Amino acid sequence: MGKSKKGTAWEREFSKRLSLWWTNEENDAVFWKTSISGGRATSRTNKGKATKNHYGDICATDPIGQPLMDVFTMELKRGYNKNTIADLLDKRESSSEQVYEEWFHKLIETSKKAKTLSWALVVQRDRREPLIFLPSTILTELLDHRKNAYLPINLLEIKNNKNEIPDVTGLRLSDFFQVIFPELIGKLLKDSK
């Protein structure tokens, strides 16, 4: 079954927003949604073929955006109003895997196939602000490059005791865009090599 129109519209909107952030409001066409939301890359990987830059939901359509795609495989989720990150905080030991856990597991695997440094999940429920979730260690490394600057943001850190997924930090997407600069992504990528 294909993506909803709402999900596809969100991918287009996010791509433009991401492009503007990456280029300091100069270009809205650096990133775009991938072919069949990464399905083409997954299908080709399953056949033993590589498909560079088409994992996840977003890819760079301009070479200046490639550093971001080398750091993050990105997945976008729109809607899912009945599912929240709180489902991970208050779930019982015996509970089945929650939707956010499924998303994190899938994204971790996709990131490995894409050979990116890390991953990011962007979620927007109806009539809510979009949130971004990423491994806590990556966000910490990015923030360390800011040289202890004051951060006017709220963070939610999800600790995972079972080591199935790494510790995850979530914040508003607008806060991420406010405190993480493209230069920090470049420094992180350089430090990882």
Side-chain angles (χ1 to χ4, degrees):
M1 181 158 104
K3 264 199 187 217
S4 70
K5 288 181 182 177
K6 183 167 51 172
T8 301
W10 164 233
E11 288 174 350
R12 286 192 298 265
E13 176 190 333
F14 176 78
S15 296
K16 289 178 183 178
R17 205 166 161 191
L18 186 66
S19 296
L20 289 168
W21 164 75
W22 188 255
T23 63
N24 198 26
E25 304 297 318
E26 292 179 10
N27 184 347
D28 70 354
V30 175
F31 303 102
W32 199 245
K33 58 192 201 83
T34 57
S35 178
I36 7 178
S37 294
R40 181 169 184 259
T42 301
S43 174
R44 288 178 52 83
T45 298
N46 292 340
K47 295 175 184 174
K49 299 177 181 178
T51 307
K52 187 162 175 54
N53 304 328
H54 281 275
Y55 289 90
D57 289 330
I58 302 296
C59 66
T61 55
D62 185 313
I64 66 168
Q66 193 55 48
L68 182 64
M69 297 293 94
D70 290 341
V71 172
F72 292 117
T73 296
M74 295 186 167
E75 286 280 338
L76 306 179
K77 301 295 180 187
R78 180 72 173 89
Y80 297 93
N81 296 321
K82 294 181 182 179
N83 305 105
T84 75
I85 196 68
D87 296 337
L88 300 184
L89 297 173
D90 61 6
K91 87 172 208 172
R92 294 184 176 163
E93 282 283 326
S94 59
S95 296
S96 61
E97 185 175 59
Q98 303 297 300
V99 170
Y100 275 76
E101 288 173 306
E102 291 174 17
W103 292 341
F104 292 147
H105 284 129
K106 178 185 176 216
L107 195 42
I108 289 166
E109 287 306 308
T110 303
S111 177
K112 287 177 185 174
K113 290 175 184 174
K115 299 179 181 164
T116 56
L117 187 60
S118 191
W119 53 267
L121 173 68
V122 181
V123 179
Q124 178 161 17
R125 295 188 302 147
D126 294 337
R127 295 176 298 284
R128 300 286 181 160
E129 289 293 317
L131 304 174
I132 185 169
F133 298 93
L134 55 157
S136 299
T137 54
I138 292 296
L139 184 61
T140 299
E141 287 180 48
L142 286 167
L143 294 175
D144 283 349
H145 286 294
R146 284 183 51 99
K147 308 286 188 240
N148 299 321
Y150 169 70
L151 301 175
I153 58 175
N154 294 312
L155 302 173
L156 170 67
E157 187 166 36
I158 308 298
K159 297 275 188 192
N160 185 353
N161 298 329
K162 295 183 180 180
N163 293 326
E164 295 168 359
I165 55 175
D167 292 346
V168 174
T169 300
L171 62 154
R172 287 178 183 237
L173 184 62
S174 58
D175 288 341
F176 179 86
F177 286 153
Q178 181 182 352
V179 300
I180 302 299
F181 310 116
E183 300 81 35
L184 300 177
I185 302 289
K187 287 178 184 176
L188 177 66
L189 188 59
K190 183 179 176 187
D191 288 351
S192 72
K193 293 183 179 179

